[in-house]
Amino acid sequence: MSYDVHAIRKEFPILHQQIHGRPLVYLDNAATAQKPLAVIKTITDFYTKDNANVHRGVHTLSQRSTDAMEAVRTAVCAHINAREVAEIIFTRGITDSINTVAFGMGALLQPHQNVVITALEHHSNIVPWQMLCERTGAALRYIPMNDKGELDLSTLELLVDENTAMVAFNHISNALGTINPVKTILNRAKAVGAWTLVDGAQSGPHALVDVQDWDVDFFTLSSHKMYGPTGLGVLYGKRERLETLPPYQGGGEMIATVTMEKSTYADIPHKFEAGTPHIEGIIGFGAALEYINSVGIEAIAAHEAALLDYATTTLSTIDGFRIIGTAEKKASVISFLVEGTHPYDLGVLLDQQGVAVRTGQHCTQPIMDQFCIAGTARASFAMYNTFEEIDLFKAALERAVTMLR
Amino acid sequence: MSTIAEKQAVLIEEFEFFDEWMDKYNHIIEMGKAMPVIDAVDKNDDLLVQGCQSKVWLKAEKKGDCVRFFADADAIIAKGIVAMLIDVFDNQPATEVAAADLSFLEEIGLKDHLSPTRANGLMSMIKQMKFYALAFSSAN
């Protein structure tokens, strides 16, 4: 069956509106994706029928909520092919997931050790490691990138050495769209016995990840970038790593016993889930995962690749159009500048014509510094975008550029 | 020599001509393009207006009882907006700049139209201009 983008669009009510009198063209999907009816309905149904706190009461509603939430844990486990359900932790988002690992490692890291990240990271995969290194005296190292926005792995063996405690990097760059050579980096890290973390913020909605095939220690997902609710992330961790890692936050739900003198912690995953979880978010995320799988992540990826190809070709005909990030392997992100214009001005004039793009540094200041630019405009595509929308985008961009020059 | 109130009235009249915001932006952009800018050598970080998303440089000089304003910006819409403010405030008595009520921003709809971040940037520009004017008028 061919990919029916118009049937998919019907499932996303937010797309069918006018912005400043023009049809909305939503191209800010790398920031957050829109939500299908299945997700919206699931959340409404939850509050209409099943809401109660989880893992606590014996009453029927609490049991229903708990079952619904735990069913999502099982679904996530299957989605990324984790070995067991207990390895799936629900967090507040990817930032929270990474902080959970980085904070916990504070008790494990020695001053002579180092943490390796890359020049392509989002601030959320930079700052927690900087804080960890400041606390422990460990060194922070960066794998550099070339002018196309690809990681330069020629120094990988030098950077990742026997003192490397952690190698943390993203699967796909949010700012440039680069798809990183995950296995090559993981293999080097494993060869020296370092722990590994892959940030899946941008891969979650576009690619199938098998954490056992990768043999990665930690992997993170963001619900809201995968058509699910905001405020929810996933931290996958291998059991032995999660058992070694001290908990990040204390509170209810994460303990086994509490006396005024001392508490013992619950087993994983609960050790890392202090407080009442984002129940509605988790259940909504379950619906989002189901929706993604019903369309098929490979079919989505193929559609987005076609959109990226078409957009790259058609936009490049605009005089002075320059793409920042031209890696051989790219996800559906176009970060761009147009000669003689400022990205903020492009963003405003595109919005006036109904086109939503992101402008600025995309939480990746070091990347912008390397390209010696203040920021870019970024268009990013999702399962519901169409070729017609790219034509509208191009026409709007041409009008904006004419006005600005 | 027009007063601040007269300058504002002219701007309001100009903008009444446009129904669509794309056209209003076009007008703002044209004002930005037409504005004489600060010499590149003078564009140091001390002149940057804090609180703007894009870079806006603003310089003021005392000329008798009046204030002269010079500006530049890296984004053209921001530049157009500062050009409008300069159009209203340049060469006006410092005491009047400091006390001025910029009602034209509401009248042309700019204040409501801007996103909160951009509206903050606009307020920062005005605050900086008034701050210069206040410093110059109290120095008299």
Side-chain angles (χ1 to χ4, degrees):
Chain A
M1 199 189 84
S2 71
Y3 192 85
D4 189 350
V5 71
H6 296 287
I8 289 170
R9 289 181 72 81
K10 282 189 190 141
E11 300 296 321
F12 290 83
I14 200 169
L15 298 176
H16 308 285
Q17 63 175 305
Q18 306 249 311
I19 300 290
H20 304 298
R22 309 285 188 89
L24 166 65
V25 176
Y26 185 78
L27 301 179
D28 194 15
N29 296 287
T32 199
Q34 300 301 348
K35 319 307 171 197
L37 279 170
V39 169
I40 298 165
K41 187 173 177 306
T42 298
I43 294 170
T44 309
D45 283 354
F46 169 69
Y47 281 122
T48 313
K49 296 172 192 160
D50 300 330
N51 175 48
N53 210 331
V54 290
H55 301 135
R56 287 173 175 84
V58 293
H59 58 82
T60 305
L61 293 187
S62 177
Q63 199 53 52
R64 276 193 214 154
S65 292
T66 306
D67 289 349
M69 174 177 149
E70 291 306 320
V72 177
R73 205 189 296 275
T74 306
V76 174
C77 177
H79 190 75
I80 63 172
N81 194 30
R83 268 171 309 179
E84 53 170 316
V85 172
E87 294 179 324
I88 306 299
I89 293 157
F90 291 118
T91 64
R92 286 188 294 124
I94 284 187
T95 301
D96 192 38
S97 297
I98 297 174
N99 274 285
T100 298
V101 179
F103 178 87
M105 285 189 80
L108 311 170
L109 213 61
Q110 303 296 320
H112 69 277
Q113 291 184 297
N114 64 73
V115 172
V116 179
I117 60 175
T118 83
L120 266 178
E121 300 310 313
H122 187 281
H123 292 166
S124 63
N125 201 27
I126 301 175
V127 184
W129 305 114
Q130 285 176 338
M131 291 166 71
L132 170 68
C133 289
E134 270 169 31
R135 277 200 309 275
T136 57
L140 187 62
R141 299 175 174 179
Y142 294 81
I143 299 171
M145 67 166 170
N146 63 22
D147 293 345
K148 293 163 90 177
E150 294 165 327
L151 291 179
D152 169 5
L153 297 183
S154 61
T155 52
L156 185 64
E157 296 204 357
L158 270 176
L159 290 168
V160 179
D161 60 22
E162 65 281 5
N163 288 323
T164 302
M166 167 60 88
V167 180
F169 59 99
N170 59 34
H171 183 187
I172 299 176
S173 152
N174 72 306
L176 307 181
T178 311
I179 302 176
N180 287 317
V182 175
K183 280 192 172 176
T184 309
I185 302 172
L186 289 179
N187 286 341
R188 174 60 191 164
K190 275 178 277 183
V192 297
W195 287 17
T196 53
L197 180 146
V198 173
D199 169 358
Q202 299 298 332
S203 54
H206 311 294
L208 259 191
V209 166
D210 180 331
V211 291
Q212 288 192 73
D213 176 48
W214 276 2
D215 192 23
V216 66
D217 291 315
F218 298 99
F219 178 65
T220 66
L221 287 174
S222 163
S223 159
H224 76 90
K225 293 192 197 296
M226 298 173 71
Y227 310 98
T230 52
L232 180 75
V234 169
L235 172 63
Y236 157 81
K238 279 185 193 165
R239 172 177 277 279
E240 56 269 33
R241 297 288 182 250
L242 291 174
E243 282 175 348
T244 308
L245 199 72
Y248 173 41
Q249 290 180 325
E253 188 93 357
M254 56 79 72
I255 34 71
T257 61
V258 177
T259 66
M260 292 316 278
E261 289 75 35
K262 185 166 172 56
S263 303
T264 56
Y265 305 135
D267 289 334
I268 63 166
H270 304 294
K271 179 173 115 178
F272 293 101
E273 293 182 352
T276 295
H278 185 10
I279 308 167
E280 148 217 333
I282 293 167
I283 294 171
F285 181 48
L289 265 187
E290 226 170 84
Y291 184 74
I292 289 175
N293 289 331
S294 75
V295 179
I297 204 151
E298 270 122 6
I300 296 170
H303 174 69
E304 290 168 347
L307 289 173
L308 177 71
D309 271 356
Y310 179 64
T312 305
T313 309
T314 187
L315 294 169
S316 296
T317 62
I318 296 175
D319 178 43
F321 186 83
R322 176 184 161 208
I323 295 177
I324 308 295
T326 48
E328 296 294 323
K329 288 183 179 170
K330 255 186 82 167
S332 55
V333 169
I334 296 185
S335 223
F336 66 93
L337 292 171
V338 184
E339 208 181 303
T341 68
H342 192 286
Y344 284 140
D345 292 329
L346 292 176
V348 171
L349 296 182
L350 287 172
D351 173 61
Q352 286 306 309
Q353 301 174 83
V355 180
V357 296
R358 171 87 184 261
T359 55
Q361 303 179 328
H362 320 297
C363 297
T364 55
Q365 222 174 305
I367 298 180
M368 301 300 134
D369 289 347
Q370 178 165 341
F371 284 105
C372 298
I373 53 180
T376 68
R378 180 189 70 186
S380 49
F381 312 114
M383 65 158 90
Y384 40 65
N385 289 123
T386 65
F387 294 90
E388 294 77 30
E389 284 184 306
I390 291 170
D391 292 336
L392 288 173
F393 168 42
K394 187 194 176 199
L397 185 59
E398 281 175 325
R399 186 172 173 202
V401 169
T402 307
M403 279 170 72
L404 290 167
R405 274 190 184 146
Chain B
M1 181 72 218
S2 311
T3 64
I4 289 177
E6 286 162 355
K7 289 273 195 182
Q8 292 195 65
V10 172
L11 278 172
I12 292 165
E13 207 176 305
E14 281 176 20
F15 275 90
E16 269 172 4
F17 190 70
F18 309 112
D19 292 331
E20 287 209 9
W21 262 101
M22 277 301 268
D23 298 323
K24 292 187 189 185
Y25 272 118
N26 203 29
H27 193 57
I28 292 172
I29 290 165
E30 292 310 318
M31 290 182 81
K33 287 178 182 169
M35 177 178 72
V37 297
I38 304 178
D39 287 341
V41 283
D42 289 344
K43 261 169 51 180
N44 60 56
D45 286 359
D46 294 344
L47 296 183
L48 281 175
V49 179
Q50 300 298 314
C52 289
Q53 250 187 328
S54 47
K55 284 187 173 176
V56 178
W57 295 266
L58 184 69
K59 190 177 151 190
E61 279 171 14
K62 190 173 184 316
K63 189 185 142 200
D65 290 339
C66 295
V67 204
R68 297 297 320 271
F69 288 106
F70 310 89
D72 200 355
D74 61 351
I76 191 76
I77 294 172
K79 196 165 156 186
I81 290 173
V82 79
M84 278 198 295
L85 297 175
I86 288 183
D87 183 61
V88 173
F89 278 157
D90 187 34
N91 239 335
Q92 298 291 340
T95 48
E96 285 178 33
V97 172
D101 174 22
L102 288 180
S103 56
F104 86 99
L105 293 169
E106 276 113 39
E107 298 261 349
I108 68 173
L110 188 65
K111 235 177 188 170
D112 286 339
H113 178 79
L114 293 178
S115 68
T117 336
R118 288 177 168 265
N120 279 343
L122 171 63
M123 294 328 287
S124 302
M125 292 181 205
I126 297 169
K127 220 162 99 184
Q128 191 63 30
M129 293 174 100
K130 290 193 164 209
F131 178 78
Y132 279 127
L134 200 67
F136 291 155
S137 53
S138 60
N140 281 335

